[in-house]
Amino acid sequence: MRYFTNVNDIGDLKVALKEAFEIKKDRFQFDTLGKNKTLMMVFFNSSLRTRLSTQKAAMNLGMNVIVLDVNQGAWKLETERGVIMDGDKPEHLLEAIPVMGVYCDIIGVRSFAGLEDREYDYNETVINQFIKYSGKPVFSMEAATRHPLQSYADLITIEEYKTTERPKVVLTWAPHPRALPQAVPNSFAEWMNAADYDFVITHPRGYELDPQFVGNARVEYDQRKAFEGADFIYAKNWSAYSGDNYGKILSKDMDWTVDTEKMALTNQAYFMHCLPVRRNMIVSDDVIESERSIVIPEAANREISAQAVMKKMLLSL
């Protein structure tokens, strides 16, 4: 595997899950695979779980790790062609990327959507430049439209906790004070459809996701109805996708907060969230602190998904 940006890159999901659980049994069984190999992690945006889990996974494989925080300790980078560079960005990504490539063997990139130009974001302009110009295997640590390492970890977590072969999984929009990208919900939907779960997406009108990610999911505008009989509730905010509203906040309706009353409608569902989470906006304290909250095991599986991806990349070098 040379690139990892979406669910199709990982191959057969059953095989990918088998490999992940093999790693989870013994994280250090492949600790010589990455000997004398270097991972470069490039961050255009902040991170906690992605940074820690990916670096730990690389170390489990015996890799050296370089972390580059763009705009913090490095030159600010221009990302668009044709720009007269007379501002505060002295280096262009098209020179920086091949330079990065000569110092490493694999590159992980984290670059969020700008939420100003939908075409620019949905063309995945930044990570595709790394793929085109670095000359090295590249994986996404969250891009403009997807967060595949998170979704892979989410799938691992659901497989660990499910009690039926085809659980009902609900992705629910919830309020947030800031406009957030659609990357996590897009990616989660993509992976849940690929896993062929009983998958439902619920959100207020106006928050419809790109149809390519919605896929075969049922869309339900009544959150309480969507929750009925659910086995897993995955809460996440996202900004509007459609038309002139792209990247905008259309609602902060607190009635969409996941609370105990709504969780009581489920089949004793597990609560999931990618973190960080705005308590008492996305989810109430009592739900996220309950025994049915699996946000910490979910976060722990980020190490496993990252290690499974990098293992496949190392084997292809």
Side-chain angles (χ1 to χ4, degrees), residues 155-169:
L155 178 64
I156 294 166
T157 307
I158 291 172
E159 285 292 308
E160 286 180 310
Y161 283 87
K162 73 178 187 180
T163 56
T164 60
E165 184 61 28
R166 194 169 183 263
K168 180 179 179 181
V169 179

Side-chain angles (χ1 to χ4, degrees), residues 4-252:
F4 178 71
T5 64
N6 62 66
V7 68
N8 296 321
D9 294 331
I10 201 68
D12 188 296
L13 280 188
K14 290 183 179 179
V15 174
L17 284 167
K18 182 179 179 182
E19 292 174 345
F21 289 126
E22 179 184 7
I23 288 169
K24 195 160 186 178
K25 289 178 183 177
D26 180 2
R27 290 164 171 79
F28 305 107
Q29 60 183 302
F30 306 106
D31 62 354
T32 61
L33 189 60
K35 183 179 180 181
N36 297 329
K37 302 295 183 183
T38 298
L39 167 68
M40 179 173 287
M41 300 165 62
V42 183
F43 290 91
F44 289 84
N45 300 96
S46 300
S47 173
L48 189 150
R49 275 147 298 277
T50 297
R51 179 185 295 244
L52 296 178
S53 62
T54 308
Q55 186 165 352
K56 178 64 164 60
M59 293 165 63
N60 293 348
L61 292 165
M63 298 186 76
N64 302 311
V65 180
I66 298 173
V67 178
L68 179 65
D69 286 300
V70 177
N71 303 328
Q72 298 180 34
W75 298 118
K76 290 185 178 181
L77 298 176
E78 179 57 64
T79 60
E80 297 188 46
R81 297 183 77 254
V83 174
I84 297 174
M85 293 175 55
D86 59 354
D88 65 342
K89 298 175 180 177
E91 185 161 9
H92 201 287
L93 203 60
L94 295 183
E95 284 77 62
I97 288 172
V99 169
M100 294 179 202
V102 302
Y103 299 139
C104 65
D105 300 282
I106 296 174
I107 301 177
V109 181
R110 184 174 179 88
S111 179
F112 294 173
L115 296 180
E116 295 179 358
D117 183 335
R118 189 175 76 175
E119 182 179 2
Y120 181 87
D121 289 342
Y122 273 69
N123 283 335
E124 290 292 6
T125 305
V126 174
I127 195 166
N128 280 334
Q129 288 185 31
F130 276 88
I131 290 171
K132 185 174 182 179
Y133 297 112
S134 70
K136 296 296 167 67
V138 174
F139 66 91
S140 170
M141 299 192 298
E142 186 170 355
T145 65
R146 295 175 174 92
H147 194 352
L149 286 179
Q150 178 66 54
S151 301
Y152 190 4
D154 295 335
L155 178 64
I156 294 166
T157 307
I158 291 172
E159 285 292 308
E160 286 180 310
Y161 283 87
K162 73 178 187 180
T163 56
T164 60
E165 184 61 28
R166 194 169 183 263
K168 180 179 179 181
V169 179
V170 177
L171 168 64
T172 180
W173 180 94
H176 195 282
R178 296 175 54 210
L180 298 183
Q182 300 95 35
V184 170
N186 282 348
S187 194
F188 185 76
E190 191 171 57
W191 285 68
M192 294 303 100
N193 280 317
D196 194 32
Y197 294 145
D198 180 6
F199 182 47
V200 179
I201 304 174
T202 184
H203 54 72
R205 293 187 184 276
Y207 279 100
E208 290 79 9
L209 295 169
D210 184 338
Q212 71 169 308
F213 296 109
V214 174
N216 296 323
R218 300 197 311 278
V219 177
E220 174 57 64
Y221 295 102
D222 184 332
Q223 188 189 37
R224 286 170 172 79
K225 184 176 179 181
F227 274 40
E228 292 175 359
D231 299 297
F232 294 88
I233 299 295
Y234 196 103
K236 186 71 180 78
N237 174 268
W238 61 90
S239 58
Y241 164 78
S242 299
D244 293 338
N245 287 325
Y246 178 68
K248 294 181 180 179
I249 297 174
L250 305 181
S251 172
K252 294 183 183 178

